[in-house]
Each structure stands twice: as structure tokens, then as C-alpha cells.
Amino acid sequence: MTTKKIAFLFPGQGSQTVGMGRSLAEQFPVASATFAEADEALGFPLSRIFLDGPEDELRLTENTQPAILTVSVAVWRVLAEHGIHPAMAAGHSLGEWSAHVAAGTLSFRDAVKAVKARGQSMQNAVPAGEGAMAAVLAMAADAVTEVCAEAASETGLAVSPANFNSPDQTVISGTKAAVEKAGELAKARGARKVVMLAVSAPFHCALMRPAQQDVATVLSGISLADPAFSVAANVSGSLVASADQVRTALIEQVTGTVRWVDCVQALLAGGAEIFVEAGPGKVLTGLLRQIDRGQKCVNVEDVASLEKALAELNA
């Protein structure tokens, strides 16, 4: 087994697919037990939705978020049974909750219920159709921030950077008209492409303030411990090591920008030598390649990728 310092990366919303986690649950009792634990905690068969669909039900934010958390925790538990343990971690948006379950900051049962509530609040914060998000490609983060500020000033509406995902990709979020205006300005000033995203709400912007207040209320009723290892906080891009820091970070990230580039750099500064993306999809593996092509990342989402990752980690 590798002696290198491993950093786990946990995916966020958008990585979900119907059938995710099925092969792990069929082969590893700890994975199927994780699915059952989520169903019991929530009082309804969440696992049936992400295993069998329908897809439109899985796409509902209140289902998507606890579903990705559940599959990610199942992957982490399977890896732990194979002797693969993180020395540090980061999670993209929702994934920050998965990272803290792995770090022992809060229980999986508390996390899955809190994330269900988080998803409901985020979905309800803005009426359908009023908000939007867009990916701005091949434009410096500072320049994207400037066009957002200018669009907000011109329209009198909210728009701001939501995710600094990589040097090549920044996602913006806010009121639809302001997002469209910022996109026009970005293209006029050299962005290679602006892609409107198929999302149900404008996440990580000021419009999410009602949801942030709800998350603060939920977290006030949950016991948090100091994490067993450092976790990068989305809102600061720095490693946090205390329960109080975690509570603040999880509340503020609802409206705050996901500083993913900074999170990865913080893990590297902390000594990360190899990365494992634990959960559905390969989004974070792709972003890591854009941030630092020299870093190695393996993803684990099913039995086939688990076997491949174990072979590479053992090499």
C-alpha cells in the first residue's frame, strides 16, 4: 500500500447519475449498509431513487444532495476497509459535508438529514426561472469578478462568481438577467465561451441568503467535533481544524464562492502527494488536471474504478 500522503476529494451536485453506487452495494456490505442507514435516517427510500430513478426525481436538489453524500460516504467506507485513508480532504460545495463525515466532524446520520434540509432550502430560496448560473471559460478569475460587478451595477441585480473551479473555468451565479449580462460582457472581453448551466437554482450567491439562515439553524442543533484531519473550506480555500471553524465554513459556503483552486493549493501546501476522488463521477479529477497537470488523481465510484485505483495505489 502506498505510503504517500493521500488527499480525498468529494464531489458536489452535478455528479449524480441513476444507478450510482449499485456495484459497490452489491459487492460490499458496508456500502449497502450505508444506503440503508440513509433511508432509515430520512424516513423514506432515498436509495431507491439514486439506484433506480426516475432521473427527474434524482435531479431534485433535495434528493440530489443527500444522494451524492450517501454514495460518497459509501465509497469512503469501502476504501477504509481496503486500508486507504485520507490524511486530509476537500469537498466541492455539498462535498464539503462528505469530507467532514470522513473526518469525523459530524455523524453520517446527522449529515444526511442536514443536507436534505439544505437542498430543500436552496431549492426554495429563489422562485423557479428567476435565477441562473453560467460557466465562463478561458478568462482570468479577476476579470470574471470585474464583469460580474459591472453587470450587477448596470442591472441593479445580483450576480457574482460562484465557483473558482480552475484557472480555465469560473462559474457565475445570480439573477438570470444579470448573469446573462455578465456573460455578454465576458464574451466581449475575450472569454472563449460562456455556457448557461442547466441548474434548478442560483447556488453560491447572495440570493441564497434564506437558505444560509436555514443551514445555520440546522447546524445549531448538531454536535460537531474537531475534524480528525484537516479539511479545506470552500469559502476561504484554507484548511480548517476546529469544530467552530467548520460550523462557520458550512454556513457561509451557502452564499459564498467555492474557492476550489485555493482548496487544492491548500492540500498541496499541506503535503498531499496523491489524490483520490471518492464518489460519483470524475469532475474533480478533471479540475485537478486543469489546476496542476503534474498531480496524480484516481477516482473511485464503482467496483471497476475501485480495483483500478487499488492497483495504482499499491504500485
Side-chain angles (χ1 to χ4, degrees):
M1 193 60 59
T2 183
T3 57
K4 291 184 176 180
K5 187 175 286 190
I6 301 173
F8 274 34
L9 305 177
F10 291 95
Q13 194 162 342
S15 295
Q16 71 276 1
T17 56
V18 173
M20 61 183 182
R22 184 186 304 280
S23 66
L24 291 174
E26 290 173 346
Q27 187 155 327
F28 300 106
V30 70
S32 58
T34 301
F35 295 177
E37 186 179 352
D39 293 348
E40 193 277 329
L42 295 174
F44 79 99
L46 173 72
S47 62
R48 190 183 305 161
I49 296 173
F50 65 75
L51 290 173
D52 302 321
E55 186 175 347
D56 59 353
E57 198 167 345
L58 177 60
R59 281 202 305 263
L60 293 173
T61 298
E62 63 182 274
N63 294 331
T64 307
Q65 294 194 10
I68 292 174
L69 171 76
T70 298
V71 175
S72 298
V73 169
V75 171
W76 160 65
R77 287 174 170 174
V78 169
L79 284 165
E81 287 194 336
H82 287 80
I84 306 297
H85 303 283
M88 60 190 75
H92 193 283
S93 187
L94 157 75
E96 193 169 342
W97 290 78
S98 305
H100 281 296
V101 173
T105 315
L106 74 169
S107 71
F108 172 55
R109 182 182 180 86
D110 282 343
V112 77
K113 290 193 293 184
V115 163
K116 171 75 170 176
R118 177 183 187 267
Q120 289 174 322
S121 294
M122 292 174 79
Q123 183 64 63
N124 295 334
V126 180
E130 288 191 10
M133 299 181 76
V136 181
L137 306 181
M139 189 175 200
D142 287 349
V144 177
T145 301
E146 288 175 8
V147 298
C148 284
E150 187 171 330
S153 178
E154 286 189 23
T155 63
L157 302 170
V159 60
S160 59
N163 309 325
F164 293 126
N165 281 335
S166 77
D168 192 54
Q169 182 192 114
T170 299
V171 173
I172 62 176
S173 179
T175 306
K176 185 178 181 183
V179 170
E180 290 173 342
K181 181 62 178 179
E184 292 171 8
L185 292 171
K187 284 188 283 188
R189 295 177 190 178
R192 184 175 75 239
K193 196 172 186 181
V194 177
V195 182
M196 298 299 290
L197 303 181
V199 295
S200 57
F203 304 129
H204 298 292
C205 73
L207 299 179
M208 288 288 110
R209 195 161 303 283
Q212 179 170 294
Q213 294 169 348
D214 290 345
V215 169
T217 299
V218 169
L219 279 169
S220 69
I222 294 176
S223 175
L224 299 183
D226 292 344
F229 50 78
S230 295
V231 175
N234 285 183
V235 291
S236 65
S238 59
L239 301 180
V240 297
S242 75
D244 287 342
Q245 288 176 315
V246 172
R247 193 182 305 275
T248 298
L250 291 177
I251 293 169
E252 291 183 350
Q253 64 136 250
V254 178
T255 59
T257 304
V258 175
R259 300 181 180 278
W260 189 248
V261 175
D262 291 341
C263 286
V264 170
Q265 296 294 353
L267 295 174
L268 290 169
E273 298 172 283
I274 189 167
F275 293 81
V276 175
E277 182 172 4
K282 300 179 182 179
V283 171
L284 302 182
T285 300
L287 292 180
L288 179 64
R289 194 173 295 120
Q290 293 178 29
I291 295 168
D292 189 337
R293 187 165 288 276
Q295 299 304 319
K296 183 173 184 60
C297 186
V298 298
N299 81 293
V300 178
E301 59 180 327
D302 53 23
V303 171
S305 57
L306 171 67
E307 292 173 350
K308 181 179 179 182
L310 292 174
E312 293 192 39
L313 292 169
N314 284 321

